[in-house]
Amino acid sequence: MSAAATASIFEAAIPRLMHYVDFCNNGAEAAAAGKFLPLTVEGRAVGYLLPSFAQRLLEFPEVFQASSSSSSSTGGGSGGSPAAVAVNPALATQQRRTEAIARVLEQLRSEGLIEGWRNELYPAVQAFHDEPAFLIERAAAPYFGIKAYGVHINGYVTLPDGSKELWVAKRSSNKPTWPGKLDHIAAGGQPHGLSCMENVVKECEEEASIPPELAARAKPVGAVSYTSLQPAGLKRDVLFCFDLELPVDFVPQPLDGEVESFTRVSMPRLCELLTSDESLWKENCTLVIMHWLARHGYLTPDQKGYLELLNRLQSGDCS
């Protein structure tokens, strides 16, 4: 089925697709309402904290200090509570801040406050190419409300008639996060010290047994962003989108245990999976799929809601 013919199927689906956008941005209102305190380094906000977690951090005054004012504050400061939390200025270098915060995190981990330790460092930045204010364990990212980045790969094939089919992964039922949910062929958080393309190649090999020389054909095509509210805090994500056209006869295979199986689906079947049961999916992956659908002509300007959907795919701070 051609993209033009399939587009009519997706037109009716746009309101259902918007559900995923709403879900992934359920933290935007709370952030705008001032329910988080900025975490600042040298006056620059690099994260946002729930007040309860901010109070816990202030029990480590050698690392964190209360601030009575912040140009980046989203609220707070009333009733004697701090308007922001600042990393102690005596910690004057990235290395010193990283080491001091790591000691705090180890204490919080021992108390069971922070779980799902990954031994993977994320940079605390205002924008992707900034020099990190400090590096922090990935599991702590939502507690600190730092901006986190990832790479998400849409693996697809083009059939002889010109139609396309998308590879969809089913996550392992043993995964601690989103077990059994539908996902991309490969995706992963963007750790410090690795380029995006290096990360793409790594994730493709680890999750789908895609050879490095094949994974290296992936093309960067844009980004989506969102602000999600989680029990731990604010999840502020930017996902770099990559397209990887695969040979028709290539079949991905699970390797590292994170994926249970892969299925290649037609566009009508993809639409059915996206709209029949929203609980099937790891929700943020659907934003990257929508990005792919728009670029490959399955979502079009003549469809009602098209511009709103595209605009909201970058609802978060995409910098």
Side-chain angles (χ1 to χ4, degrees):
M1 183 179 291
S2 68
T6 310
S8 61
I9 300 174
F10 281 100
E11 181 169 12
I14 286 182
R16 300 293 296 274
L17 297 179
M18 203 69 77
H19 160 83
Y20 297 107
V21 181
D22 292 336
F23 183 94
C24 290
N25 285 284
N26 66 350
E29 184 176 340
K35 295 184 179 180
F36 294 85
L37 302 182
L39 173 67
T40 66
V41 176
E42 298 178 340
R44 292 166 55 86
V46 295
Y48 293 91
L49 311 168
L50 282 169
S52 58
F53 188 69
Q55 290 300 325
R56 185 70 181 90
L57 293 183
L58 291 174
E59 296 177 19
F60 302 89
E62 70 281 6
V63 184
F64 300 103
Q65 299 181 347
S67 176
S68 60
S69 63
S70 171
S71 60
S72 301
S73 176
T74 62
S78 61
S81 62
V85 173
V87 175
N88 191 328
L91 302 170
T93 67
Q94 179 194 107
Q95 181 176 346
R96 291 188 65 190
R97 289 188 287 264
T98 296
E99 292 172 348
I101 292 171
R103 289 192 291 271
V104 173
L105 293 181
E106 286 292 351
Q107 174 63 33
L108 300 181
R109 181 190 186 189
S110 70
E111 298 172 4
L113 180 58
I114 296 178
E115 300 177 333
W117 210 259
R118 304 291 289 269
N119 291 315
E120 190 174 311
L121 294 177
Y122 274 9
V125 295
Q126 286 190 326
F128 184 65
H129 289 289
D130 287 354
E131 182 66 21
F134 55 84
L135 306 178
I136 189 170
E137 157 63 32
R138 175 176 176 171
Y143 292 88
F144 282 73
I146 68 165
K147 193 183 295 182
Y149 300 86
V151 295
H152 282 232
I153 300 96
N154 278 309
Y156 69 98
V157 302
T158 302
L159 301 180
D161 65 359
S163 63
K164 293 180 173 64
E165 294 186 346
L166 191 71
W167 280 104
V168 174
K170 183 177 182 181
R171 294 166 68 89
S172 169
S173 58
N174 296 321
K175 279 188 68 68
T177 54
W178 295 280
K181 299 289 186 179
L182 299 183
D183 202 334
H184 296 299
I185 193 170
Q190 182 62 35
H192 179 68
L194 202 64
S195 75
C196 288
M197 184 54 72
E198 288 171 339
N199 200 20
V200 166
V201 172
K202 178 180 77 73
E203 294 293 341
C204 281
E205 184 171 28
E206 291 177 353
E207 296 185 0
S209 302
I210 300 174
E213 63 273 15
L214 182 55
R217 300 179 189 176
K219 297 178 180 179
V221 290
V224 301
S225 58
Y226 54 87
T227 304
S228 180
L229 185 62
Q230 296 190 343
L234 207 58
K235 188 169 173 58
R236 304 162 58 227
D237 286 354
V238 177
L239 308 181
F240 294 113
C241 307
F242 287 79
D243 279 3
L244 177 57
E245 185 169 6
L246 294 164
V248 175
D249 60 354
F250 178 81
V251 179
Q253 298 293 333
L255 182 62
D256 63 3
E258 294 198 7
V259 173
E260 183 177 300
S261 62
F262 294 98
T263 304
R264 205 176 79 189
V265 299
S266 66
M267 291 304 101
R269 176 58 178 157
L270 178 63
C271 184
E272 181 183 358
L273 288 171
L274 286 167
T275 59
S276 62
D277 185 353
E278 292 150 350
S279 68
L280 290 173
W281 291 88
K282 182 174 182 285
E283 291 86 0
N284 66 344
C285 297
T286 67
L287 307 188
V288 181
I289 291 174
M290 292 177 219
H291 192 275
W292 184 89
L293 289 169
R295 288 181 293 97
H296 289 267
Y298 297 105
L299 297 175
T300 70
D302 290 325
Q303 297 167 345
K304 185 177 180 180
Y306 171 82
L307 286 176
E308 180 186 2
L309 182 63
L310 291 190
N311 182 58
R312 294 193 61 201
L313 290 180
Q314 291 189 344
S315 293
D317 180 4
C318 198
S319 63

